[in-house]
């Protein structure tokens, strides 16, 4: 336990928010207020509730934007030593970042400066990376650009989905908070300037971005499939005018015209480089099912998957 308590305000959501907040409380931090989000009715809520954790510890919380004038006034009244952001979805304005006495810090789900920006885990998987990580850094107005305090790498296996990697990143995030928070309290935490020139920035993704381009290679399409499969909206294509979500697939050797069904046992589709075996899918208006069951139900013997 820490020798003295440090007052905090925490902006948190999702599993990273839950687990990092839990670690701060384990270390004895005095969390005065939490800002979080209302769950969206259009989003699959598969992650832990920061609000429930706050309630169990008797910590007040708000779901209104931390940047609102009334919330800024409350922060100035609380005068916290630190402000932490753990997967909080709103950009935090400079006037808010200036309030905490010892600084405002963010936990980002990549090994910065690589994959600055939105949904870094999904992008890393989609791009076929073999590693990513979690980074604690000071916040400035430019996204994910402040001095780095600590980082932890994680491996991305070729079989990992984005959810698998997100779970690994969550563990890495807790590791980073566990060893960094005592140093921050003691005033001895390192500060490494962010080398933005050595990194990369990616924007957010929409469900429509999951459209499969069959002219790309089988490995690229496979990476897209595993990068946006459950609990995300999924990679999709079209057959006979119906949307088909590909939930699970695997690249295999061979060749075929992009989008052409070259085999139905198993279901194999041509790409711009190699073949893609489709293992689990979901046609519009039907349940998710193994490819063999879909073939049997539709009586499919060939054809082509298209972009629309």
């Amino acid at each position: 336990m820490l020798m003295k308590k440090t007052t905090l305000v925490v902006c948190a959501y999702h599993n990273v928010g839950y687990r990092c907040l839990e670690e701060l409380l384990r270390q004895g931090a005095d969390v005065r207020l939490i800002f979080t989000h209302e769950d969206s009715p259009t989003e699959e809520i598969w992650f832990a509730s920061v609000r429930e954790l706050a309630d169990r510890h008797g910590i007040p919380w708000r779901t209104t934007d931390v940047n609102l004038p009334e919330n800024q006034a409350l922060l100035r009244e609380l005068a916290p030593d630190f402000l932490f952001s753990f997967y909080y979805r709103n950009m935090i304005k400079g006037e808010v970042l200036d309030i905490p006495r010892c600084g405002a810090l963010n936990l980002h789900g990549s090994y910065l400066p690589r994959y600055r920006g939105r949904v870094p885990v999904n992008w890393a998987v989609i791009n076929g990376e073999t590693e990513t990580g979690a980074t604690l850094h000071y916040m400035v107005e430019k996204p994910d650009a402040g001095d780095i305090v600590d980082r932890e790498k994680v491996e991305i296996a070729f079989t990992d989905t984005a959810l698998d990697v997100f779970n690994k990143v969550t563990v890495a995030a807790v590791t980073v908070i566990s060893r960094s928070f005592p140093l921050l309290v003691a005033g001895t935490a390192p500060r490494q300037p962010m080398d933005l020139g050595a990194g990369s920035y990616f924007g957010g993704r929409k469900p429509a971005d999951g459209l499969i381009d069959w002219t790309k290679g089988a490995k690229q399409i496979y990476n897209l499939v595993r990068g946006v499969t459950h609990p995300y909206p999924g990679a999709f294509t079209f057959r006979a005018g119906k949307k088909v979500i590909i939930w699970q697939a695997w690249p295999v050797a061979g060749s075929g015209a992009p989008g052409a069904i070259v085999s139905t046992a198993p279901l194999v589709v041509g790409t711009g480089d190699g073949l893609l075996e489709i293992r689990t899918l979901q046609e519009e208006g039907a349940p998710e099912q193994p490819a063999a069951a879909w073939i049997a139900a539709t009586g499919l013997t060939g054809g082509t998957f298209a972009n629309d």
Side-chain angles (χ1 to χ4, degrees), residues 279-290:
R279 295 180 172 176
T280 307
L281 49 68
Q282 183 175 9
E283 187 173 82
E284 186 177 7
E288 179 179 343
Q289 58 190 323

Side-chain angles (χ1 to χ4, degrees), residues 45-298:
I45 306 302
W46 53 272
F47 41 84
S49 170
V50 168
R51 286 181 291 175
E52 290 179 6
L53 179 61
D55 286 340
R56 286 201 299 274
H57 288 268
I59 304 169
W61 51 265
R62 292 188 173 191
T63 56
T64 51
D65 192 334
V66 68
N67 298 294
L68 291 174
E70 59 267 33
N71 288 332
Q72 290 190 37
L74 178 57
L75 286 173
R76 291 190 180 91
E77 181 182 337
L78 291 172
D81 294 308
F82 289 100
L83 182 146
F84 282 95
S85 175
F86 303 134
Y87 270 63
Y88 188 66
R89 293 178 171 179
N90 298 337
M91 289 293 297
I92 302 177
K93 295 181 179 179
E95 53 263 39
V96 176
L97 302 180
D98 291 338
I99 294 172
R101 182 179 62 86
C102 299
L105 296 100
N106 175 58
L107 193 292
H108 186 72
S110 77
Y111 199 78
L112 289 174
R114 301 198 68 198
Y115 290 93
R116 296 171 51 241
R118 300 288 186 177
V119 293
V121 167
N122 302 82
W123 277 119
V125 175
I126 290 167
N127 289 337
E129 300 289 355
T130 57
E131 64 179 21
T132 187
T135 304
L136 183 67
H137 67 94
Y138 283 91
M139 283 188 282
V140 294
E141 285 199 75
K142 189 179 183 69
D144 309 319
D147 293 351
I148 293 171
V149 174
D150 195 4
R151 298 179 290 184
E152 179 80 5
K153 285 185 177 181
V154 302
E155 176 194 4
I156 301 177
F158 190 63
T159 54
D160 280 344
T161 66
L163 178 59
D164 295 327
V165 180
F166 186 85
N167 290 337
K168 293 179 182 180
V169 168
T170 301
V171 173
V174 175
T175 298
V176 167
I177 294 301
S178 175
R179 66 190 178 209
S180 296
F181 185 57
L183 301 180
L184 288 166
V185 171
T188 59
R191 293 187 65 147
Q192 174 188 337
M194 186 88 70
D195 182 4
L196 299 182
S200 53
Y201 183 90
F202 291 85
R205 292 185 61 84
K206 305 180 295 296
D209 296 327
L211 179 63
I212 294 170
D213 179 356
W214 292 104
T215 66
K216 292 187 176 180
K219 287 186 178 178
Q220 287 178 283
I221 298 172
Y222 165 71
N223 288 336
L224 173 64
V225 169
R226 69 191 180 110
V228 296
T229 192
H230 296 302
Y232 304 102
F236 65 94
T237 185
F238 292 88
R239 191 194 72 85
K242 286 188 175 182
K243 181 178 179 180
V244 180
I245 301 174
I246 311 300
W247 290 115
Q248 187 180 26
W250 189 258
V252 294
S255 62
I261 297 171
V262 301
S263 167
T264 57
L267 178 57
V268 177
V269 182
T271 74
D273 182 14
L275 300 172
L276 190 74
E277 179 187 340
I278 298 174
R279 295 180 172 176
T280 307
L281 49 68
Q282 183 175 9
E283 187 173 82
E284 186 177 7
E288 179 179 343
Q289 58 190 323
W294 180 72
I295 292 290
T298 60

